[in-house]
Amino acid sequence: MTGHPVDGDLWAGMDTTDEPQPAEPVWEEPIPLSGRRELPAFPAHVFPAWLGSYVKAVAEETQTPIDLAGSIALSVLAAAAGGRSVVHVRGSWREPTNLYVVCALPPANRKSAVFALLTDPLYEAEKKLQVTMAPAIVEAAMTARLAKEAADNAAAKAVKADGGKREELIAEAIGLAQTAESVAVPVEPLLLADDSTSETVTSLIAEQGGRLAVMSAEGGIFDIIAGRYSGAPNMEVFLKGHAGDRLRVNRQTRREYIDHPALTIGLAVQPDVLRDIAKVKGFDGRGLLARFLYSMPRSLVGEREVITAPIPEETAAAYASNVLSLTLWLAEWTDPAVIQLSPEADAALIIYQQRVEPQLAARGGALGHIANWAGKLAGAVARMAALLHLAEHLEGGHTKPVAEATMRAAITLGEYFTAHALGVFDVMGADPTVGRARSVLETLRAGGWEDVSRRDLFTKLSRSEFPNIADLEPTTALLEEHGYLRSYQPQRTGARGRPPALRYRLHPSLRKDEG
């Protein structure tokens, strides 16, 4: 085979069977390629004390992974702050404070109960906003009604008039009609929506001044976005609602623009939902999957305590009061509150960015296969830092810069979500290295070798999967990590020439079918 670089060509015709071979290793059973990664637990300690204590208490009483309550709590903060605050990172870089968060757990994990415990204060805040706004809505509606009646009466008089009086009455009717048209009736405040159609979400964002939260203990929103009920995918509002890009709303009577829409999504779904959405055309290509922070904790079903400690009353009261206070304070803002970073916080974020960037490389980068997701990681960390800052300073957070400790707490959250994103995208089949590793395993089993050079292995593989020998390295590294092989460099037998090709000692299980 020609045209493909291989190592050790000068040694191809030499007999190396007398070379010293490594001692037969003691092999443990390999870890299956489909085996689940060990994922870290949610770092609830990074939350302010009032929030961390409540998250831990909810997890204890409900006997659910702390990841579930922690992920929803982060969504609650984003629902309270989204559309009403932004974080100024540096230069012209600003991030809105809304988030898309999804936690995947199998059935019987009490997702609905945890959701209710965490989101109840948002519904309470919504009711208070509605009560506060009710008199203004009634007054504006009555004013609009009277103005329209006056315009209609003036128009009727103008129709019946004749002569010089007619032009005067027409001018009066036009003025009254313009006045009636200018009377804006406020809509009833709404913070939360369940699984709604894309069109409904778009209309609600427009009505609510550019902000909305979709919170659900089910994954039906993905079916709606995919067009399972409408017949065609419609993800525009979900793409632009995360980034804050201008959104156009087409109404029957007029066309409106939302300059900076802020949509928050907080979901708890079954793991199968994540597998299914990976197959939906356009979800990955247009970047929808890259906008979510993923959590995929281990289920505790079968290990749960029957008698558990209830949530302390003071802990629950502090949580409800603080979420309510934060939500109501930020609801008053029309122009968003701008959260600034301290120089120390910015320096910590820069170091984190410098650490992540090389991992995005398509070849050899640990995050290369999920670069679309990881490329948004620094922005997500900045958003979470602002949310933690606001939770620490429930009123007047915009008057203080984000501290370095808060940024480091957000970076810890970023590292947590990165580990879980790798696990989730494994489930979605996003890593091509896994598929290539299976091809290599088939070749190794077919070869029946105990020991093989990288060059000899390469010659047996498909060039469509491995165009160059360098393309083999990530795959063999994964197989070595899983215990299927061990690489070693044979000793040089002469003083001149190229060193021998890298070789692999293979796990005995790969030769079980031999003979």
mmCIF file of all heavy atoms in Angstrom, residues 416-435:
data_model
loop_
_atom_site.group_PDB
_atom_site.id
_atom_site.type_symbol
_atom_site.label_atom_id
_atom_site.label_comp_id
_atom_site.label_asym_id
_atom_site.label_seq_id
_atom_site.Cartn_x
_atom_site.Cartn_y
_atom_site.Cartn_z
ATOM 1 N N TYR A 416 -17.835 21.117 35.981
ATOM 2 C CA TYR A 416 -18.860 20.095 36.222
ATOM 3 C C TYR A 416 -19.671 19.850 34.949
ATOM 4 O O TYR A 416 -19.852 18.703 34.523
ATOM 5 C CB TYR A 416 -19.787 20.534 37.358
ATOM 6 C CG TYR A 416 -21.076 19.750 37.427
ATOM 7 C CD1 TYR A 416 -21.132 18.520 38.089
ATOM 8 C CD2 TYR A 416 -22.237 20.216 36.812
ATOM 9 C CE1 TYR A 416 -22.316 17.794 38.134
ATOM 10 C CE2 TYR A 416 -23.416 19.497 36.862
ATOM 11 C CZ TYR A 416 -23.450 18.287 37.518
ATOM 12 O OH TYR A 416 -24.615 17.560 37.555
ATOM 13 N N PHE A 417 -20.159 20.916 34.342
ATOM 14 C CA PHE A 417 -20.986 20.756 33.148
ATOM 15 C C PHE A 417 -20.178 20.225 31.965
ATOM 16 O O PHE A 417 -20.729 19.545 31.094
ATOM 17 C CB PHE A 417 -21.672 22.076 32.798
ATOM 18 C CG PHE A 417 -22.840 22.402 33.689
ATOM 19 C CD1 PHE A 417 -22.821 23.514 34.517
ATOM 20 C CD2 PHE A 417 -23.962 21.583 33.713
ATOM 21 C CE1 PHE A 417 -23.897 23.812 35.342
ATOM 22 C CE2 PHE A 417 -25.053 21.867 34.534
ATOM 23 C CZ PHE A 417 -25.012 22.988 35.353
ATOM 24 N N THR A 418 -18.888 20.516 31.924
ATOM 25 C CA THR A 418 -18.044 19.964 30.864
ATOM 26 C C THR A 418 -17.951 18.446 30.988
ATOM 27 O O THR A 418 -18.100 17.716 29.989
ATOM 28 C CB THR A 418 -16.634 20.578 30.916
ATOM 29 O OG1 THR A 418 -16.724 21.989 30.707
ATOM 30 C CG2 THR A 418 -15.730 19.975 29.843
ATOM 31 N N ALA A 419 -17.701 17.966 32.196
ATOM 32 C CA ALA A 419 -17.619 16.517 32.407
ATOM 33 C C ALA A 419 -18.932 15.840 32.021
ATOM 34 O O ALA A 419 -18.940 14.786 31.368
ATOM 35 C CB ALA A 419 -17.274 16.223 33.869
ATOM 36 N N HIS A 420 -20.051 16.446 32.397
ATOM 37 C CA HIS A 420 -21.343 15.843 32.089
ATOM 38 C C HIS A 420 -21.686 15.974 30.607
ATOM 39 O O HIS A 420 -22.329 15.084 30.043
ATOM 40 C CB HIS A 420 -22.427 16.457 32.968
ATOM 41 C CG HIS A 420 -22.443 15.904 34.356
ATOM 42 N ND1 HIS A 420 -23.426 15.055 34.819
ATOM 43 C CD2 HIS A 420 -21.558 16.035 35.376
ATOM 44 C CE1 HIS A 420 -23.157 14.708 36.071
ATOM 45 N NE2 HIS A 420 -22.034 15.301 36.436
ATOM 46 N N ALA A 421 -21.256 17.062 29.975
ATOM 47 C CA ALA A 421 -21.479 17.200 28.530
ATOM 48 C C ALA A 421 -20.750 16.096 27.777
ATOM 49 O O ALA A 421 -21.289 15.526 26.814
ATOM 50 C CB ALA A 421 -21.014 18.570 28.049
ATOM 51 N N LEU A 422 -19.542 15.771 28.199
ATOM 52 C CA LEU A 422 -18.809 14.675 27.555
ATOM 53 C C LEU A 422 -19.585 13.371 27.691
ATOM 54 O O LEU A 422 -19.675 12.582 26.739
ATOM 55 C CB LEU A 422 -17.411 14.546 28.172
ATOM 56 C CG LEU A 422 -16.414 15.633 27.781
ATOM 57 C CD1 LEU A 422 -15.176 15.575 28.676
ATOM 58 C CD2 LEU A 422 -16.016 15.495 26.311
ATOM 59 N N GLY A 423 -20.156 13.143 28.884
ATOM 60 C CA GLY A 423 -20.955 11.936 29.076
ATOM 61 C C GLY A 423 -22.212 11.935 28.234
ATOM 62 O O GLY A 423 -22.580 10.924 27.630
ATOM 63 N N VAL A 424 -22.886 13.081 28.151
ATOM 64 C CA VAL A 424 -24.125 13.175 27.377
ATOM 65 C C VAL A 424 -23.846 13.015 25.886
ATOM 66 O O VAL A 424 -24.558 12.292 25.175
ATOM 67 C CB VAL A 424 -24.833 14.516 27.651
ATOM 68 C CG1 VAL A 424 -25.931 14.779 26.621
ATOM 69 C CG2 VAL A 424 -25.428 14.513 29.052
ATOM 70 N N PHE A 425 -22.803 13.661 25.398
ATOM 71 C CA PHE A 425 -22.495 13.535 23.976
ATOM 72 C C PHE A 425 -21.980 12.138 23.634
ATOM 73 O O PHE A 425 -22.092 11.706 22.488
ATOM 74 C CB PHE A 425 -21.514 14.623 23.535
ATOM 75 C CG PHE A 425 -22.170 15.968 23.335
ATOM 76 C CD1 PHE A 425 -22.038 16.984 24.264
ATOM 77 C CD2 PHE A 425 -22.943 16.205 22.215
ATOM 78 C CE1 PHE A 425 -22.654 18.215 24.089
ATOM 79 C CE2 PHE A 425 -23.570 17.431 22.008
ATOM 80 C CZ PHE A 425 -23.421 18.436 22.958
ATOM 81 N N ASP A 426 -21.430 11.431 24.620
ATOM 82 C CA ASP A 426 -21.143 10.002 24.423
ATOM 83 C C ASP A 426 -22.446 9.253 24.136
ATOM 84 O O ASP A 426 -22.526 8.436 23.216
ATOM 85 C CB ASP A 426 -20.481 9.396 25.666
ATOM 86 C CG ASP A 426 -18.979 9.675 25.713
ATOM 87 O OD1 ASP A 426 -18.450 10.221 24.730
ATOM 88 O OD2 ASP A 426 -18.360 9.360 26.740
ATOM 89 N N VAL A 427 -23.456 9.531 24.960
ATOM 90 C CA VAL A 427 -24.764 8.899 24.781
ATOM 91 C C VAL A 427 -25.343 9.255 23.414
ATOM 92 O O VAL A 427 -25.956 8.430 22.739
ATOM 93 C CB VAL A 427 -25.732 9.336 25.907
ATOM 94 C CG1 VAL A 427 -27.153 8.882 25.613
ATOM 95 C CG2 VAL A 427 -25.272 8.771 27.248
ATOM 96 N N MET A 428 -25.128 10.482 22.999
ATOM 97 C CA MET A 428 -25.634 10.932 21.705
ATOM 98 C C MET A 428 -24.813 10.389 20.533
ATOM 99 O O MET A 428 -25.211 10.550 19.376
ATOM 100 C CB MET A 428 -25.624 12.465 21.649
ATOM 101 C CG MET A 428 -26.599 13.142 22.594
ATOM 102 S SD MET A 428 -26.480 14.949 22.425
ATOM 103 C CE MET A 428 -27.754 15.495 23.566
ATOM 104 N N GLY A 429 -23.651 9.803 20.836
ATOM 105 C CA GLY A 429 -22.811 9.277 19.765
ATOM 106 C C GLY A 429 -22.048 10.344 19.025
ATOM 107 O O GLY A 429 -21.765 10.214 17.826
ATOM 108 N N ALA A 430 -21.688 11.428 19.737
ATOM 109 C CA ALA A 430 -21.032 12.554 19.071
ATOM 110 C C ALA A 430 -19.541 12.341 18.845
ATOM 111 O O ALA A 430 -18.942 12.994 18.005
ATOM 112 C CB ALA A 430 -21.231 13.830 19.895
ATOM 113 N N ASP A 431 -18.916 11.411 19.596
ATOM 114 C CA ASP A 431 -17.466 11.241 19.506
ATOM 115 C C ASP A 431 -17.128 10.197 18.450
ATOM 116 O O ASP A 431 -17.337 8.998 18.652
ATOM 117 C CB ASP A 431 -16.907 10.821 20.865
ATOM 118 C CG ASP A 431 -15.390 10.872 20.894
ATOM 119 O OD1 ASP A 431 -14.788 11.069 19.820
ATOM 120 O OD2 ASP A 431 -14.813 10.707 21.977
ATOM 121 N N PRO A 432 -16.578 10.594 17.293
ATOM 122 C CA PRO A 432 -16.240 9.616 16.252
ATOM 123 C C PRO A 432 -15.129 8.673 16.674
ATOM 124 O O PRO A 432 -14.980 7.593 16.105
ATOM 125 C CB PRO A 432 -15.808 10.495 15.071
ATOM 126 C CG PRO A 432 -15.356 11.780 15.693
ATOM 127 C CD PRO A 432 -16.219 11.972 16.898
ATOM 128 N N THR A 433 -14.350 9.082 17.693
ATOM 129 C CA THR A 433 -13.257 8.217 18.141
ATOM 130 C C THR A 433 -13.787 6.890 18.670
ATOM 131 O O THR A 433 -13.159 5.848 18.496
ATOM 132 C CB THR A 433 -12.434 8.932 19.237
ATOM 133 O OG1 THR A 433 -11.970 10.176 18.731
ATOM 134 C CG2 THR A 433 -11.240 8.095 19.658
ATOM 135 N N VAL A 434 -14.948 6.910 19.311
ATOM 136 C CA VAL A 434 -15.528 5.682 19.853
ATOM 137 C C VAL A 434 -15.870 4.724 18.713
ATOM 138 O O VAL A 434 -15.593 3.523 18.779
ATOM 139 C CB VAL A 434 -16.770 5.988 20.712
ATOM 140 C CG1 VAL A 434 -17.430 4.694 21.178
ATOM 141 C CG2 VAL A 434 -16.388 6.849 21.909
ATOM 142 N N GLY A 435 -16.483 5.260 17.652
ATOM 143 C CA GLY A 435 -16.810 4.408 16.510
ATOM 144 C C GLY A 435 -15.576 3.832 15.855
ATOM 145 O O GLY A 435 -15.543 2.655 15.480
#
